Amino acid sequence: MKEIKIILWGFGAMGKSMAENIMCKKGLKIVAVLDKDEKILHRDIGDILNISSPSGILVRNDFNNVIRNIDADIVILAIDSYIEKVIEYIELILENKKNCITLAEEMIYPYTTNFSISSKIHRLAKENNVTILGTGINPGFVLDSMIVFMSSVCNNITRINASRINDLSPYGLTVLREQGVGLSQEEFGKGILNGNIVGHIGFKQSIEFISNAIGLEVDDFIEFKEPIITNTYRETKFINIQPGMVAGCLHSAYGLKSGNPVIVLEHPQQICPESETIDTGDYISIEGDPNIHLNINPELPGGVGSAAITVNLIPQVIACKSGLKTMLDMKLPHGVQGNFAELLKKYRVGDLYD
Amino acid sequence: MKEIKIILWGFGAMGKSMAENIMCKKGLKIVAVLDKDEKILHRDIGDILNISSPSGILVRNDFNNVIRNIDADIVILAIDSYIEKVIEYIELILENKKNCITLAEEMIYPYTTNFSISSKIHRLAKENNVTILGTGINPGFVLDSMIVFMSSVCNNITRINASRINDLSPYGLTVLREQGVGLSQEEFGKGILNGNIVGHIGFKQSIEFISNAIGLEVDDFIEFKEPIITNTYRETKFINIQPGMVAGCLHSAYGLKSGNPVIVLEHPQQICPESETIDTGDYISIEGDPNIHLNINPELPGGVGSAAITVNLIPQVIACKSGLKTMLDMKLPHGVQGNFAELLKKYRVGDLYD
């Protein structure tokens, strides 16, 4: 194999970011791009990405035809967050003997939340000798895999607190609305009730992931979405808000054991956090033996990070044992500076001395 | 299997720390302890560890007999830092069909530095269907595995800088002498020349590990050991030093590409760093897309962390494919709060749905 052949399914912000990555890499090749957005349909992705030369790859929406008939090693599925919304597409991909990485947040650890669907997907992947993995920066890395990895140097773990504080300022109105930015406190309450304010997707899965990996038992799960009310005037390219209005959503989740918090994850998302001297960052605190206090400042960037880890895991997902996998099944994930197809060959041979 | 049977080979500070961990865990059992130190020979390890009830395990030094005749799943080898010093014992362990984790620093990534020995160990492990892994907090985690893991969210990596700043104050004179603490600057220079000042062991291996994992090419390696001269009076339980004397050793290592530093690792080790307002910590900085700045304050503790990761990896090392393995071959390492023998069973079955 000279190049790993990739179908990108979903050409929104994430799909575009991955396409840009892939086009700079050795040993990776995009063979088709799927998206239903009329505005980009039939356009060359080089044109959409503002690359001078055309790529020869036009955006298509005949997904049945593409998945069935185009030869590819893997499909990257970045179209929705929820299992129910992506399950039929995942089935189509696996039935056509293609490996899959999805950025659907709920797929990061579907075993406990969606047992029967997970079981079905796993069987289907096994039958067709392919692998499906859910990943991303969060869920997928910061508030689950990284916590689990750090726990490996602990002799004992009694409680985990972690927080991802980010800045929504670069994002447009679609994202801002999902976090309630610009609403009054009353409107925010209504938005929570009618489901318009989404907060973060995947907390339950991240907590199950951590709990099952470490064996840190939890018997209950609760989550809260609270408005972040600004004390200062805040302004971005897309919105401006007055003191007293909602600057974002503090979404927090608790894994409880006998009523006591054991795993506590927080993800406050807001515009202009610096206006109230809040440092963005990823923060992990493990109470145990030893205690661990880890900071990443600023936070790992969501878009770039999700695109990177997805692309970096392509060779491993193709090479590994078939089935529905999670980040716990991956060998130490790592960046890839060299040729991806060569790396896949190396993975398949086993190691140097086999 | 109700309990995983463990032989601890080496009952110094590290062996004792692991024994304490193991004795608190479910599903792990120490079946023999080996050490050649006359002061602890034939003594009950419960007595040595100041545990009220005797364990029934006496320290022995008949290693040939123990490794050949005592039934065990794994041997933890913590007796020396250098491959040449442990190779004959590793061979004995593997020939007797026992898995092995070693804390010998050079074993963290022996492929490039000791090709023929690595090749021989790998064949021997394969022939006997067992696994050998080198691990520890450093090398093994902070300045190699953790860097590689963080690189997985990078689309591009151009340079890595990492530093582990620790405090030698708790350590006795043996450790302090190896870092030159209490010497004059002139004596330090002599100590480097005659090999009495050791600094950190494993830098070359850590740099090869990172370089090969990520594909971040290096073509040369240099390292420096410099004295840390104190400006203040510093005092511990074991030593006191005047301004102008050596408080420790700044050991740094450079992986170069065409003369330019690509991977830079530093490990300044000294007593009382706080006396000159130096914060101990683990610091990782990745230059690329994105840039990553990670801090752990204080640093992950060396003794506790090394013992923990070794014990936590026992089930995975027993379950995994045979051969000479590195941390790169491990699935996402994690702490273990539950029963280790149950976890091994789960690993062996594959996952829930297989």
Side-chain angles (χ1 to χ4, degrees), chain B residues 312-323:
Chain B
N312 287 331
L313 283 170
I314 288 173
Q316 182 163 180
V317 167
I318 296 174
C320 83
K321 224 176 127 187
S322 63

Side-chain angles (χ1 to χ4, degrees), chain B residues 285-353:
Chain B
S285 175
I286 299 179
E287 291 175 22
D289 174 28
N291 296 315
I292 296 178
H293 299 287
L294 178 151
N295 299 347
I296 298 174
N297 297 99
E299 82 281 13
L300 298 175
V304 176
S306 286
I309 196 166
T310 303
V311 173
N312 287 331
L313 283 170
I314 288 173
Q316 182 163 180
V317 167
I318 296 174
C320 83
K321 224 176 127 187
S322 63
L324 168 59
K325 300 293 175 189
T326 75
M327 290 295 284
L328 294 175
D329 301 303
M330 294 293 107
K331 291 184 180 189
L332 199 65
H334 58 81
V336 182
Q337 286 299 100
N339 185 305
F340 281 68
E342 294 295 325
L343 182 63
L344 174 57
K345 213 179 290 172
K346 193 173 131 192
Y347 283 155
R348 279 184 166 153
V349 170
D351 63 47
L352 203 53
Y353 308 101

Side-chain angles (χ1 to χ4, degrees), chain B residues 4-8 22 28-32 72 74 76 314:
Chain B
I4 296 170
K5 294 184 285 297
I6 302 165
I7 295 171
L8 281 181
I22 291 167
L28 294 180
K29 186 183 182 183
I30 299 171
V31 293
I74 193 162
I76 311 290
I314 288 173

Side-chain angles (χ1 to χ4, degrees), chain A residues 272-347:
Chain A
C272 313
E274 76 287 354
S275 75
E276 299 197 25
T277 61
I278 296 161
D279 283 335
T280 65
D282 295 312
Y283 304 93
I284 294 174
S285 176
I286 299 179
E287 292 174 20
D289 175 30
N291 295 315
I292 297 177
H293 299 287
L294 179 151
N295 299 346
I296 298 174
N297 296 99
E299 81 282 12
L300 298 174
V304 175
S306 286
I309 195 166
T310 303
V311 173
N312 286 332
L313 283 170
I314 287 173
Q316 182 162 181
V317 167
I318 297 174
C320 81
K321 224 175 128 187
S322 64
L324 169 58
K325 300 293 174 189
T326 75
M327 290 295 284
L328 294 175
D329 301 303
M330 295 293 107
K331 293 184 180 188
L332 199 65
H334 58 82
V336 182
Q337 286 298 100
N339 185 305
F340 282 69
E342 294 295 325
L343 182 63
L344 175 57
K345 212 179 290 173
K346 194 173 131 192
Y347 283 155

Side-chain angles (χ1 to χ4, degrees), chain A residues 167-347:
Chain A
D167 182 0
L168 295 178
S169 304
Y171 292 92
L173 289 176
T174 312
V175 169
L176 299 185
R177 275 194 208 103
E178 287 176 352
Q179 307 299 330
V181 179
L183 300 181
S184 69
Q185 196 159 354
E186 195 188 345
E187 289 166 333
F188 186 94
K190 283 182 193 155
I192 293 291
L193 288 175
N194 66 25
N196 286 341
I197 296 175
V198 177
H200 172 64
I201 302 166
F203 267 140
K204 190 161 186 3
Q205 286 78 9
S206 288
I207 286 181
E208 299 279 4
F209 179 103
I210 296 165
S211 167
N212 288 341
I214 302 178
L216 188 61
E217 288 179 14
V218 299
D219 55 24
D220 202 2
F221 171 83
I222 49 169
E223 55 185 328
F224 304 101
K225 291 172 207 165
E226 297 163 86
I228 300 169
I229 307 296
T230 185
N231 295 307
T232 54
Y233 174 75
R234 302 191 189 189
E235 183 179 349
T236 76
K237 214 166 66 174
F238 304 100
I239 201 165
N240 60 70
I241 57 170
Q242 300 295 332
M245 288 170 76
V246 174
C249 176
L250 167 55
H251 193 168
S252 53
Y254 295 74
L256 306 166
K257 173 74 180 170
S258 310
N260 296 313
V262 174
I263 303 171
V264 181
L265 306 180
E266 283 188 345
H267 192 13
Q269 303 198 69
Q270 64 199 293
I271 59 165
C272 313
E274 76 287 354
S275 75
E276 299 197 25
T277 61
I278 296 161
D279 283 335
T280 65
D282 295 312
Y283 304 93
I284 294 174
S285 176
I286 299 179
E287 292 174 20
D289 175 30
N291 295 315
I292 297 177
H293 299 287
L294 179 151
N295 299 346
I296 298 174
N297 296 99
E299 81 282 12
L300 298 174
V304 175
S306 286
I309 195 166
T310 303
V311 173
N312 286 332
L313 283 170
I314 287 173
Q316 182 162 181
V317 167
I318 297 174
C320 81
K321 224 175 128 187
S322 64
L324 169 58
K325 300 293 174 189
T326 75
M327 290 295 284
L328 294 175
D329 301 303
M330 295 293 107
K331 293 184 180 188
L332 199 65
H334 58 82
V336 182
Q337 286 298 100
N339 185 305
F340 282 69
E342 294 295 325
L343 182 63
L344 175 57
K345 212 179 290 173
K346 194 173 131 192
Y347 283 155

Side-chain angles (χ1 to χ4, degrees), chain B residues 168 179-182 188 226-229 246-250 269-271:
Chain B
L168 294 179
Q179 306 299 330
V181 179
F188 185 95
E226 297 163 87
I228 300 170
I229 307 296
V246 174
C249 175
L250 166 55
Q269 303 198 69
Q270 64 199 292
I271 59 165

Side-chain angles (χ1 to χ4, degrees), chain B residues 108-169:
Chain B
I108 187 68
Y109 200 75
Y111 294 120
T112 47
T113 48
N114 297 70
F115 182 83
S116 64
I117 290 180
S118 299
S119 180
K120 189 178 169 194
I121 295 175
H122 183 68
R123 273 201 314 274
L124 194 60
K126 291 294 244 187
E127 283 163 17
N128 290 285
N129 196 29
V130 288
T131 299
I132 161 129
L133 171 77
T135 195
I137 196 94
N138 190 40
F141 194 80
V142 177
L143 293 182
D144 36 47
S145 295
M146 201 161 77
I147 292 169
V148 164
F149 179 68
M150 294 309 301
S151 77
S152 67
V153 296
C154 292
N155 174 43
N156 190 38
I157 298 135
T158 49
R159 177 171 165 151
I160 291 162
N161 290 280
S163 180
R164 175 162 168 80
I165 303 175
N166 67 346
D167 181 359
L168 294 179
S169 303

